[in-house]
């Protein structure tokens, strides 16, 4: 059945796979359409309210997770480590900002990737590029690289299992603030991170104070956690778009939050069209090529009613450009009287090739965050959150940090199939540094 939700099908759609078997594609889509939603419309509405708080400077958003999730890594340990990292960072940021931190994962659906080329050539052999586990598999063989629509159904089931565990972890006692503070004590006990001891000790004292006052620790035992991913694969997102029985409005029930990538944000093309029709909070990535006019057009297309919390602009300019490229965008949006959430993605503008690896320098990442805060301070606008690629494991994919990872270090445990991620310790280090920046910004 064709509905107003299908208007995107008439528009150009970048970064879509060519499914080799149309019959299999239709069957897979039909199966997805019959499966239950992964999130409820009401939860997406709650997230929109939380993001509205961030847009007005009353909350800060932490959105983190893998560049690309992979099926083989949907395990209890990996998911727990990721959540633990996000929760630990969030406690530090909550303290630094003296504000609620909206906690969100790049998780439970981050299975489709935009690529710079449709094909990859190795030793004279050319095959389709790896586009994420929802589409094809990574090994460099014709069989693995062939797009298989049933992988979308597998992505749904893996997302469902991931989200189920994330919900259990965040509401079932694991997220108790006292445990999280205990893990942070373990982190600063490492001499490499001694410079963060002072702020960690302050967090500890604040928690002891609350406990001494008889604060209701039941309320501190559970956290709200949201899932978000790039809405890239239109067949998947459309199949999970459902009509809310309460209001008749459409929601993309594959996640609470969906963002449109820098490569698919053409205001007149398919991704913007589909997402303009759903009520979830939506993000748009803005890279160095983004012009003020593009951004204003996106505001009109995606948020014509200027609904608080609806739109998040995620800027990723690179450390060397954030101070020159971000101000014109901020001024244009401000001039239009709009207050989206401004989030900083300090990862994607700082990717380099080094020693045969795709990597990033921790110092460049931090420099972009710093530039982001300064630009917003100068403009009088609100730096509302951070969007980062991280894992809870001790991988070695990003250069630098206090426990220095150098060229040799990269070889030790480089596991990502797409972009390099901050490891557990680098993530915490970032949180401590950003907590200091937020205090400086607000103070
Ligand atoms: C990503 O977030 O992994 C990504 C591809 O980002 P961007 O759209 O900003 O390039
Ligand atoms: Co990435």
């Amino acid at each position: 059945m064709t509905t107003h939700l299908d208007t995107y099908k008439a528009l150009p759609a970048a970064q879509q796979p060519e499914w080799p078997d149309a019959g299999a594609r239709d069957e897979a889509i039909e199966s997805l359409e019959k499966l239950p939603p992964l999130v409820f419309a009401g939860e997406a509405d709650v997230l929109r309210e939380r993001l509205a708080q961030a847009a007005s400077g009353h909350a800060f958003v932490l959105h983190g997770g893998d560049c690309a999730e992979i099926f083989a890594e949907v395990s209890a340990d990996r998911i727990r480590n990721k959540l633990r990292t996000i929760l630990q960072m969030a406690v530090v940021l909550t303290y630094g900002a003296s504000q609620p931190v909206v906690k969100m994962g790049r998780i439970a659906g981050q299975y489709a990737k935009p690529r710079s080329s449709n094909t990859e050539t190795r030793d004279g052999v050319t095959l389709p590029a790896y586009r994420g586990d929802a589409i094809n598999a990574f090994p460099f063989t014709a069989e693995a690289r062939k797009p298989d629509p049933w992988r979308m159904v597998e992505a749904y089931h893996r997302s469902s299992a991931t989200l189920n565990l994330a919900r259990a972890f965040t509401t079932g006692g694991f997220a108790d603030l006292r445990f999280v503070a205990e893990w942070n004590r373990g982190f600063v006990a490492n001499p490499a991170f001694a410079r963060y001891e002072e702020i960690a000790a302050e967090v500890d004292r604040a928690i002891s104070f609350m406990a001494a006052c008889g604060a209701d620790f039941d309320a501190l035992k559970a956290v709200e956690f949201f899932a978000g991913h790039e809405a890239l694969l239109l067949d998947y997102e459309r199949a999970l778009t459902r009509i809310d029985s309460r209001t008749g409005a459409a929601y993309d029930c594959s996640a609470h939050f969906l963002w449109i990538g820098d490569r698919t944000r053409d205001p007149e093309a398919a991704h913007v069209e589909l997402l303009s029709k759903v009520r979830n909070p939506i993000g748009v990535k803005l890279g160095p090529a983004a012009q003020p006019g593009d951004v204003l057009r996106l505001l009109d297309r995606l948020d014509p009613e200027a609904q608080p919390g609806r739109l998040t602009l995620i800027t990723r300019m690179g450390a060397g450009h954030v101070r020159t490229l971000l101000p014109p965008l901020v001024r244009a949006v401000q001039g239009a009287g709009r207050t989206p959430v401004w989030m900083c993605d300090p990862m994607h503008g700082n990717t380099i090739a080094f020693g045969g690896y795709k990597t990033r320098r921790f110092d460049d990442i931090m420099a972009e965050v710093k530039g982001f805060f300064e630009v917003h301070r100068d403009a009088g606008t609100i730096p509302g959150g951070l969007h980062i690629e991280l894992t809870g494991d001790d991988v070695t994919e990003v250069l630098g940090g206090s426990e220095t990872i150098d060229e040799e270090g990269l070889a030790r445990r480089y596991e990502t199939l797409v972009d390099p991620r901050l490891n557990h310790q680098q993530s915490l280090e970032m949180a401590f540094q950003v907590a200091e920046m937020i205090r400086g910004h607000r103070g």
Side-chain angles (χ1 to χ4, degrees):
M1 189 178 63
T2 303
T3 72
H4 77 294
L5 294 171
D6 293 307
T7 49
Y8 77 93
K9 290 181 181 165
L11 300 176
Q15 299 283 346
Q16 302 308 292
E18 278 176 35
W19 304 118
D21 177 346
R25 178 200 61 203
D26 293 348
E27 278 173 40
I29 288 175
E30 207 174 301
S31 314
L32 275 178
E33 286 170 346
K34 288 189 188 132
L35 286 161
L38 291 175
V39 306
F40 284 152
E43 297 176 307
D45 290 341
V46 169
L47 175 60
R48 201 176 52 237
E49 286 164 23
R50 302 290 180 260
L51 292 172
Q53 293 292 103
S56 63
H58 297 95
F60 191 78
V61 188
L62 173 62
H63 190 193
D66 295 294
C67 180
E69 292 180 275
I70 57 176
F71 291 168
E73 289 189 359
V74 177
S75 71
D77 282 357
R78 298 258 189 183
I79 296 167
R80 185 196 57 224
N81 290 348
K82 243 176 279 181
L83 284 170
R84 199 172 74 150
T85 305
I86 293 170
L87 295 174
Q88 283 184 261
M89 293 178 77
V91 166
V92 175
L93 291 170
T94 305
Y95 184 78
S98 297
Q99 281 187 343
V101 168
V102 182
K103 294 167 266 299
M104 187 151 65
R106 279 178 66 112
I107 204 168
Q110 183 53 20
Y111 285 111
K113 298 305 300 173
R115 303 317 305 258
S116 45
S117 168
N118 283 335
T119 56
E120 182 182 348
T121 301
R122 291 188 200 174
D123 302 324
V125 179
T126 299
L127 293 174
Y130 171 62
R131 290 193 166 273
D133 272 9
I135 293 148
N136 56 5
F138 186 73
F140 195 72
T141 65
E143 190 48 35
R145 289 294 173 92
K146 190 164 123 187
D148 173 2
W150 288 101
R151 296 184 75 94
M152 290 193 283
V153 179
E154 185 66 22
Y156 168 93
H157 289 296
R158 301 262 168 179
S159 298
S160 162
T162 303
L163 197 55
N164 179 55
L165 195 63
R167 289 184 194 277
F169 274 142
T170 49
T171 58
F174 177 79
D176 189 308
L177 186 58
R178 286 162 298 185
F179 295 157
V180 181
E182 183 64 41
W183 301 330
N184 279 350
R185 272 198 289 278
F187 170 76
V188 292
N190 179 338
F193 305 114
R195 57 175 286 212
Y196 306 116
E197 237 168 46
E198 198 178 319
I199 191 161
E202 286 177 36
V203 176
D204 251 5
R205 269 199 299 278
I207 293 172
S208 309
F209 175 74
M210 283 192 286
C213 292
D216 173 12
F217 264 94
D218 277 348
L220 304 174
K221 273 183 194 147
V223 301
E224 248 178 10
F225 181 77
F226 299 98
H229 64 259
E230 179 173 350
L232 181 74
L233 182 54
L234 295 167
D235 288 339
Y236 182 79
E237 303 305 339
R238 174 66 185 92
L240 285 163
T241 297
R242 307 292 164 85
I243 303 300
D244 176 23
S245 54
R246 299 168 311 161
T247 61
Y251 285 79
D252 182 344
C253 295
S254 71
H256 304 105
F257 181 82
L258 286 314
W259 79 86
I260 303 173
D262 191 43
R263 285 171 258 203
T264 48
R265 63 172 168 73
D266 178 346
E268 318 310 328
H271 290 82
V272 169
E273 178 71 7
L274 177 59
L275 292 184
S276 74
K277 303 279 175 77
V278 301
R279 289 277 288 270
N280 307 58
I282 300 296
V284 182
K285 292 279 207 95
L286 300 172
Q291 298 299 312
D294 304 336
V295 179
L296 295 179
R297 179 81 183 120
L298 285 164
L299 289 174
D300 282 349
R301 291 281 283 129
L302 290 168
D303 186 22
E305 291 158 26
Q307 187 184 27
R310 157 73 173 175
L311 193 64
T312 297
L313 299 177
I314 310 168
T315 59
R316 29 88 92 221
M317 300 300 172
H321 301 294
V322 60
R323 287 184 176 77
T324 48
L325 297 179
L326 183 54
L329 304 186
V330 169
R331 277 196 301 270
V333 171
Q334 202 177 22
R338 296 302 199 96
T339 50
V341 181
W342 289 101
M343 255 204 245
C344 174
D345 165 359
M347 316 301 292
H348 290 88
N350 295 305
T351 312
I352 54 170
F354 188 78
Y357 292 97
K358 190 177 184 187
T359 184
R360 295 164 175 148
R361 292 182 207 281
F362 186 78
D363 289 349
D364 291 343
I365 292 169
M366 292 314 306
E368 179 156 359
V369 178
K370 190 156 181 281
F372 170 83
F373 274 94
E374 287 172 9
V375 167
H376 285 289
R377 188 184 54 213
D378 292 350
T381 43
I382 295 176
L386 276 183
H387 177 107
I388 51 187
E389 289 183 343
L390 60 79
T391 166
D393 302 311
D394 289 326
V395 301
T396 55
E397 298 169 357
V398 168
L399 294 162
S402 292
E403 278 204 326
T404 309
I405 295 175
D406 55 13
E407 185 171 358
E408 238 166 71
L410 285 182
R412 253 194 336 264
R413 196 171 162 197
Y414 189 97
E415 295 181 358
T416 184
L417 302 187
V418 187
D419 287 341
R421 303 159 296 180
L422 296 172
N423 65 24
H424 175 71
Q425 297 190 322
Q426 289 167 329
S427 301
L428 287 181
E429 214 174 335
M430 170 181 230
F432 277 102
Q433 291 193 18
V434 174
E436 286 166 5
M437 280 181 212
I438 299 177
R439 281 174 146 192
H441 187 82
R442 304 260 152 98

Coordinates of all heavy atoms in Angstrom, one line a residue, residues 156-204:
Y156 N 17.3 -6.2 12.6 CA 16.2 -6.0 13.5 C 16.3 -6.9 14.7 O 16.2 -6.4 15.9 CB 14.9 -6.3 12.8 CG 13.7 -6.3 13.7 CD1 12.9 -5.2 13.9 CD2 13.4 -7.5 14.4 CE1 11.9 -5.2 14.8 CE2 12.3 -7.5 15.3 CZ 11.6 -6.4 15.5 OH 10.5 -6.4 16.4
H157 N 16.6 -8.2 14.6 CA 16.6 -9.1 15.7 C 17.8 -8.7 16.6 O 17.7 -8.8 17.9 CB 16.6 -10.5 15.3 CG 15.3 -10.9 14.7 ND1 14.2 -11.0 15.5 CD2 14.9 -11.3 13.5 CE1 13.1 -11.4 14.7 NE2 13.6 -11.6 13.5
R158 N 18.9 -8.4 16.0 CA 20.1 -8.1 16.9 C 19.8 -6.8 17.6 O 20.3 -6.6 18.8 CB 21.4 -7.9 16.0 CG 21.7 -9.1 15.2 CD 22.8 -10.0 15.8 NE 22.8 -11.3 15.2 CZ 23.7 -12.2 15.5 NH1 24.6 -12.0 16.5 NH2 23.7 -13.4 14.9
S159 N 19.2 -5.8 16.9 CA 18.8 -4.6 17.6 C 17.9 -4.8 18.8 O 18.0 -4.2 19.8 CB 18.2 -3.6 16.6 OG 19.1 -3.3 15.6
S160 N 16.9 -5.7 18.5 CA 16.0 -6.0 19.6 C 16.7 -6.6 20.8 O 16.4 -6.2 21.9 CB 14.9 -7.0 18.9 OG 14.2 -7.6 19.9
A161 N 17.6 -7.5 20.6 CA 18.3 -8.2 21.7 C 19.2 -7.1 22.4 O 19.3 -7.1 23.6 CB 19.2 -9.3 21.2
T162 N 19.8 -6.3 21.6 CA 20.6 -5.2 22.2 C 19.8 -4.3 23.1 O 20.2 -3.9 24.2 CB 21.3 -4.4 21.1 OG1 22.1 -5.4 20.3 CG2 22.3 -3.4 21.7
L163 N 18.7 -3.8 22.5 CA 17.9 -2.9 23.2 C 17.3 -3.5 24.5 O 17.2 -2.9 25.6 CB 16.8 -2.4 22.3 CG 16.0 -1.1 22.7 CD1 17.0 0.0 22.9 CD2 15.0 -0.8 21.6
N164 N 16.9 -4.8 24.4 CA 16.4 -5.5 25.6 C 17.4 -5.5 26.7 O 17.1 -5.2 27.9 CB 16.0 -6.9 25.2 CG 15.4 -7.7 26.4 OD1 14.5 -7.2 27.0 ND2 16.1 -8.8 26.7
L165 N 18.6 -5.8 26.4 CA 19.7 -5.8 27.4 C 20.0 -4.4 27.9 O 20.2 -4.2 29.1 CB 20.9 -6.5 26.9 CG 21.9 -6.9 28.0 CD1 21.4 -7.9 28.9 CD2 23.2 -7.4 27.3
A166 N 20.0 -3.5 27.0 CA 20.2 -2.1 27.4 C 19.2 -1.6 28.4 O 19.4 -1.0 29.4 CB 20.3 -1.1 26.2
R167 N 17.9 -2.0 28.1 CA 16.8 -1.6 29.0 C 17.0 -2.3 30.4 O 16.8 -1.7 31.4 CB 15.5 -1.9 28.4 CG 15.1 -1.1 27.2 CD 13.7 -1.5 26.7 NE 13.2 -1.1 25.4 CZ 12.7 0.1 25.2 NH1 12.6 1.0 26.2 NH2 12.3 0.5 24.0
A168 N 17.4 -3.5 30.3 CA 17.6 -4.3 31.6 C 18.7 -3.6 32.4 O 18.6 -3.4 33.6 CB 17.8 -5.7 31.3
F169 N 19.8 -3.4 31.8 CA 20.9 -2.8 32.5 C 20.6 -1.4 33.1 O 21.1 -1.1 34.2 CB 22.1 -2.6 31.5 CG 23.0 -3.8 31.4 CD1 23.5 -4.2 30.1 CD2 23.3 -4.7 32.5 CE1 24.3 -5.3 30.0 CE2 24.1 -5.8 32.3 CZ 24.6 -6.1 31.1
T170 N 19.9 -0.6 32.3 CA 19.7 0.8 32.8 C 18.5 0.9 33.8 O 18.4 1.9 34.5 CB 19.5 1.7 31.6 OG1 18.5 1.2 30.8 CG2 20.7 1.9 30.8
T171 N 17.7 -0.1 33.9 CA 16.6 0.0 34.9 C 16.7 -1.1 36.0 O 16.0 -1.1 37.0 CB 15.3 -0.2 34.2 OG1 15.2 -1.4 33.5 CG2 15.0 1.0 33.2
G172 N 17.6 -2.1 35.8 CA 17.6 -3.2 36.7 C 18.7 -3.2 37.8 O 19.0 -4.2 38.4
G173 N 19.2 -2.0 38.1 CA 20.1 -1.9 39.2 C 21.6 -1.7 38.8 O 22.4 -1.1 39.6
F174 N 21.9 -2.1 37.6 CA 23.3 -2.0 37.1 C 23.7 -0.5 37.1 O 24.9 -0.2 37.3 CB 23.4 -2.6 35.7 CG 24.7 -2.5 35.0 CD1 25.7 -3.4 35.3 CD2 24.9 -1.6 34.0 CE1 26.9 -3.3 34.6 CE2 26.1 -1.5 33.3 CZ 27.1 -2.4 33.6
A175 N 22.8 0.4 36.8 CA 23.1 1.8 36.6 C 23.1 2.6 37.9 O 23.2 3.8 37.9 CB 22.1 2.4 35.6
D176 N 23.0 1.9 39.0 CA 23.0 2.6 40.3 C 24.1 3.6 40.4 O 25.3 3.2 40.2 CB 23.1 1.6 41.5 CG 22.8 2.2 42.8 OD1 23.5 3.2 43.1 OD2 22.0 1.7 43.6
L177 N 23.8 4.8 40.7 CA 24.8 5.9 40.8 C 26.0 5.5 41.6 O 27.2 5.8 41.3 CB 24.2 7.1 41.3 CG 25.0 8.4 41.3 CD1 25.4 8.7 39.9 CD2 24.1 9.5 41.9
R178 N 25.8 4.7 42.7 CA 26.9 4.4 43.6 C 27.9 3.4 42.9 O 29.1 3.5 43.1 CB 26.4 3.8 44.9 CG 25.8 4.9 45.8 CD 24.9 4.3 46.8 NE 23.7 3.6 46.3 CZ 22.7 3.1 47.0 NH1 22.8 3.2 48.3 NH2 21.7 2.5 46.4
F179 N 27.3 2.5 42.1 CA 28.3 1.6 41.4 C 29.1 2.4 40.4 O 30.3 2.2 40.2 CB 27.5 0.6 40.5 CG 26.7 -0.4 41.4 CD1 25.7 -1.1 40.8 CD2 27.1 -0.7 42.7 CE1 24.9 -2.0 41.5 CE2 26.4 -1.6 43.4 CZ 25.3 -2.3 42.8
V180 N 28.4 3.3 39.7 CA 29.0 4.1 38.6 C 30.2 4.9 39.2 O 31.3 5.0 38.7 CB 28.0 5.0 37.9 CG1 28.7 5.7 36.7 CG2 26.9 4.1 37.3
A181 N 29.9 5.5 40.4 CA 30.9 6.3 41.1 C 32.1 5.4 41.5 O 33.3 5.8 41.4 CB 30.3 7.0 42.3
E182 N 31.8 4.2 41.9 CA 32.8 3.2 42.3 C 33.7 2.9 41.0 O 35.0 2.8 41.2 CB 32.1 1.9 42.8 CG 33.1 0.9 43.3 CD 33.9 1.3 44.5 OE1 33.3 2.0 45.4 OE2 35.1 1.0 44.5
W183 N 33.1 2.7 39.9 CA 33.9 2.4 38.7 C 34.8 3.6 38.4 O 36.0 3.5 38.0 CB 33.0 2.1 37.5 CG 32.1 1.0 37.6 CD1 32.3 -0.1 38.3 CD2 30.8 0.9 37.0 NE1 31.2 -1.0 38.2 CE2 30.3 -0.4 37.4 CE3 30.1 1.7 36.1 CZ2 29.0 -0.8 37.0 CZ3 28.8 1.2 35.7 CH2 28.3 0.0 36.2
N184 N 34.3 4.8 38.6 CA 35.1 6.0 38.3 C 36.3 6.1 39.3 O 37.4 6.5 38.9 CB 34.3 7.3 38.3 CG 33.5 7.5 37.0 OD1 33.8 6.8 36.0 ND2 32.6 8.4 37.0
R185 N 36.1 5.6 40.5 CA 37.2 5.6 41.5 C 38.3 4.7 40.9 O 39.5 5.0 41.0 CB 36.7 5.1 42.8 CG 36.2 6.3 43.7 CD 36.2 5.9 45.2 NE 35.1 4.9 45.5 CZ 33.9 5.2 45.7 NH1 33.5 6.5 45.7 NH2 33.0 4.3 45.9
G186 N 37.9 3.6 40.4 CA 38.9 2.6 39.8 C 39.7 3.3 38.7 O 40.9 3.1 38.5
F187 N 39.0 4.1 37.9 CA 39.7 4.8 36.8 C 40.7 5.8 37.3 O 41.9 5.7 36.8 CB 38.6 5.5 35.9 CG 39.2 6.5 34.9 CD1 39.7 6.0 33.7 CD2 39.1 7.8 35.1 CE1 40.2 6.8 32.7 CE2 39.6 8.7 34.1 CZ 40.2 8.2 33.0
V188 N 40.4 6.6 38.2 CA 41.4 7.6 38.6 C 42.5 7.0 39.5 O 43.5 7.7 39.8 CB 40.8 8.9 39.3 CG1 40.0 9.7 38.3 CG2 39.9 8.5 40.5
A189 N 42.3 5.8 40.0 CA 43.3 5.1 40.8 C 44.6 4.8 39.9 O 45.7 4.7 40.4 CB 42.8 3.8 41.4
N190 N 44.4 4.8 38.6 CA 45.5 4.6 37.7 C 46.3 5.9 37.6 O 45.8 6.9 37.3 CB 44.9 4.2 36.3 CG 45.9 4.0 35.2 OD1 47.1 4.5 35.3 ND2 45.5 3.3 34.2
P191 N 47.6 5.8 37.9 CA 48.4 7.0 38.0 C 48.4 7.8 36.7 O 48.5 9.0 36.7 CB 49.8 6.5 38.2 CG 49.7 5.1 38.7 CD 48.4 4.6 38.2
A192 N 48.1 7.2 35.5 CA 48.0 7.9 34.3 C 46.9 9.0 34.3 O 47.0 10.0 33.6 CB 47.8 7.0 33.1
F193 N 45.9 8.7 35.1 CA 44.8 9.6 35.1 C 44.6 10.4 36.4 O 43.6 11.0 36.7 CB 43.5 8.8 34.9 CG 43.6 8.0 33.6 CD1 43.6 6.6 33.7 CD2 43.7 8.6 32.4 CE1 43.7 5.8 32.5 CE2 43.8 7.8 31.2 CZ 43.8 6.5 31.3
A194 N 45.8 10.6 37.1 CA 45.8 11.3 38.4 C 45.2 12.7 38.3 O 44.6 13.2 39.2 CB 47.2 11.3 39.0
R195 N 45.4 13.3 37.1 CA 45.0 14.7 37.0 C 43.4 14.9 37.2 O 42.9 16.0 37.4 CB 45.4 15.4 35.7 CG 45.0 14.6 34.5 CD 45.4 15.4 33.2 NE 44.5 16.6 33.0 CZ 44.2 17.1 31.8 NH1 44.7 16.5 30.7 NH2 43.4 18.1 31.7
Y196 N 42.7 13.8 37.1 CA 41.3 13.9 37.2 C 40.8 13.5 38.6 O 39.6 13.5 38.9 CB 40.6 12.9 36.2 CG 41.0 13.2 34.8 CD1 41.7 12.2 34.1 CD2 40.8 14.4 34.2 CE1 42.2 12.5 32.8 CE2 41.3 14.7 32.9 CZ 41.9 13.7 32.2 OH 42.4 14.0 30.9
E197 N 41.8 13.3 39.5 CA 41.4 12.8 40.9 C 40.5 13.8 41.6 O 39.6 13.5 42.3 CB 42.7 12.6 41.7 CG 42.8 11.3 42.3 CD 44.2 11.0 42.8 OE1 44.7 11.9 43.5 OE2 44.8 10.0 42.5
E198 N 40.9 15.1 41.4 CA 40.2 16.2 42.2 C 38.7 16.2 41.8 O 37.8 16.1 42.7 CB 40.8 17.5 41.8 CG 40.5 18.6 42.8 CD 41.1 19.9 42.4 OE1 42.3 19.8 41.9 OE2 40.5 20.9 42.5
I199 N 38.4 16.2 40.5 CA 36.9 16.2 40.2 C 36.2 14.9 40.6 O 35.1 14.9 41.0 CB 36.8 16.6 38.7 CG1 35.3 16.9 38.4 CG2 37.3 15.6 37.7 CD1 35.2 17.8 37.1
A200 N 37.0 13.8 40.4 CA 36.4 12.5 40.9 C 36.1 12.5 42.4 O 35.0 12.0 42.8 CB 37.3 11.3 40.5
A201 N 37.0 13.1 43.1 CA 36.7 13.2 44.6 C 35.5 14.1 44.9 O 34.7 13.8 45.8 CB 38.0 13.7 45.3
E202 N 35.4 15.1 44.1 CA 34.2 16.0 44.3 C 32.9 15.3 44.0 O 31.9 15.4 44.7 CB 34.3 17.2 43.4 CG 35.3 18.3 43.8 CD 35.4 19.4 42.8 OE1 34.4 19.8 42.2 OE2 36.6 19.9 42.6
V203 N 32.9 14.5 42.9 CA 31.7 13.7 42.6 C 31.4 12.8 43.7 O 30.2 12.7 44.2 CB 31.9 12.9 41.3 CG1 30.7 12.0 41.0 CG2 32.2 13.8 40.1
D204 N 32.4 12.1 44.3 CA 32.2 11.2 45.4 C 31.6 11.9 46.6 O 30.7 11.3 47.2 CB 33.6 10.7 45.8 CG 33.8 9.3 45.5 OD1 32.9 8.7 44.8 OD2 34.9 8.7 45.8

